[in-house]
Amino acid sequence: MANKILIPTPLRAYAGKQDVVEAEGGTVGELLANMTAEYADLRNHLYTEDGKLRNFVNIYVNDDDIRYLEKEQTPIKPGDTVSIIPSVAGGGRA
Amino acid sequence: MALPTLVIRADAEMGIRRHGREAYPHECCGALFGRDQLVTEAFALPNATGEGARRRFLVRPADYRAAERRAIELGEELVGFYHSHPDHPARPSRYDLDHAWPVFAYVIVSVEGGNPVALTSWRLREDRSAFDEEPIALESHGENEKQTEERREETGEA
Ligand SMILES: [Zn+2]
């Protein structure tokens, strides 16, 4: 059973110009892996070279940040909505 | 490769400069609404950084979500973000690059000693290796706004 994943504006170009995609998986990690198998161009903007989620990429299950759940092991139930939400960060001097 | 010009409505550009001045010596940040290469509105957001606001900014996920919602309410799109560089050139830092999102316009205003000076716009390369600068043009609704801004610059009024 597929779950909805909400795609933020800057990533829609890499997800077939869609704001919602669907993927299957028992955990957040599986869901995201199945999503990036279908939309490979998303991978570079979500993961570092060693395969970790970038620290300014926030993944929410419904209204909860997976950092405060079980991270990528967080289980997904039918009807759960997963959101990819950017933290936008930067600055001047290094 | 020359990027297309980003057109910014004069009042939105003025809003970015004003926010940069008000936040000085801290960095300000906000969202940019519009469509494609046009910015119609600058939407101030709180700088939530915990790493020192004189040289960092952070838009929290909740504020990011609020910005996307606001864009939809306005019938516009979220086209990018702006931030200020207090006493630092209007060029993206390594830290900006490491945290950048594709597609978005990144507008930077340099604020020297409290006065907004250079304002630039940048896009992340597809391979995340660098930013490219895009030209900026201002779209004015008449000369009144420009004159108002010049008067504010002279008096230092926010
Ligand atoms: Zn910066």
Side-chain angles (χ1 to χ4, degrees):
Chain A
M1 172 127 188
N3 289 79
K4 284 191 165 67
I5 305 172
L6 306 188
I7 308 294
T9 304
L11 295 183
R12 289 174 194 162
Y14 309 96
K17 299 189 175 170
Q18 302 171 92
D19 56 4
V20 182
V21 301
E22 294 198 340
E24 298 195 7
T27 63
V28 167
E30 288 173 15
L31 205 73
L32 295 179
N34 288 333
M35 177 188 71
T36 51
E38 187 168 354
Y39 301 103
D41 293 341
L42 284 173
R43 190 183 305 270
N44 190 32
H45 298 296
L46 294 177
Y47 296 98
T48 59
E49 279 160 26
D50 52 355
K52 292 203 182 74
L53 275 173
R54 294 182 183 277
N55 63 8
F56 53 92
V57 174
N58 307 285
I59 307 293
Y60 279 54
V61 176
N62 304 318
D63 286 321
D64 297 312
D65 187 335
I66 63 165
R67 288 188 188 91
Y68 306 107
L69 301 171
E70 296 169 59
K71 303 194 169 68
E72 283 164 85
Q73 305 306 314
T74 303
I76 297 292
K77 301 186 302 295
D80 282 345
T81 297
V82 173
S83 304
I84 302 171
I85 307 176
S87 288
V88 181
R93 273 159 294 183
Chain B
M1 182 194 68
L3 294 181
T5 298
L6 182 73
V7 178
I8 308 180
R9 288 230 174 117
D11 47 351
E13 197 253 9
M14 194 168 78
I16 296 169
R17 291 179 177 277
R18 186 167 53 230
H19 195 192
R21 175 164 44 217
E22 286 168 359
Y24 184 89
H26 294 159
E27 295 199 3
C28 71
C29 54
L32 301 170
F33 300 144
R35 196 164 292 269
D36 304 320
Q37 290 292 117
L38 173 67
V39 173
T40 54
E41 185 171 331
F43 184 62
L45 292 168
N47 179 355
T49 187
E51 298 179 49
R54 284 172 182 255
R55 59 190 191 93
R56 291 285 179 264
F57 80 93
L58 172 67
V59 176
R60 283 173 305 201
D63 294 321
Y64 178 89
R65 274 183 148 172
E68 285 218 347
R69 275 198 302 273
R70 179 79 184 131
I72 290 167
E73 284 167 16
L74 291 168
E76 303 276 16
E77 287 168 10
L78 180 60
V79 294
F81 283 84
Y82 70 86
H83 70 283
S84 62
H85 280 181
D87 298 316
H88 200 69
R91 285 195 310 271
S93 63
R94 175 77 218 186
Y95 191 89
D96 286 330
L97 180 63
D98 288 343
H99 292 79
W101 289 88
V103 177
F104 279 154
Y106 279 83
V107 167
I108 302 176
V109 59
S110 174
V111 184
E112 287 178 9
N115 289 314
V117 283
L119 188 140
T120 57
S121 185
W122 306 78
R123 303 268 177 179
L124 181 67
R125 278 187 201 164
E126 198 67 30
D127 64 2
R128 308 191 57 89
S129 64
F131 276 106
D132 293 306
E133 186 170 6
E134 62 187 352
I136 290 179
L138 293 190
E139 184 187 272
S140 183
H141 293 305
E143 284 302 296
N144 289 342
E145 289 163 20
K146 191 157 178 276
Q147 285 164 5
T148 304
E149 173 67 0
E150 278 164 7
R151 273 199 303 278
R152 282 182 174 140
E153 298 278 0
E154 283 163 17
T155 59
E157 180 196 330

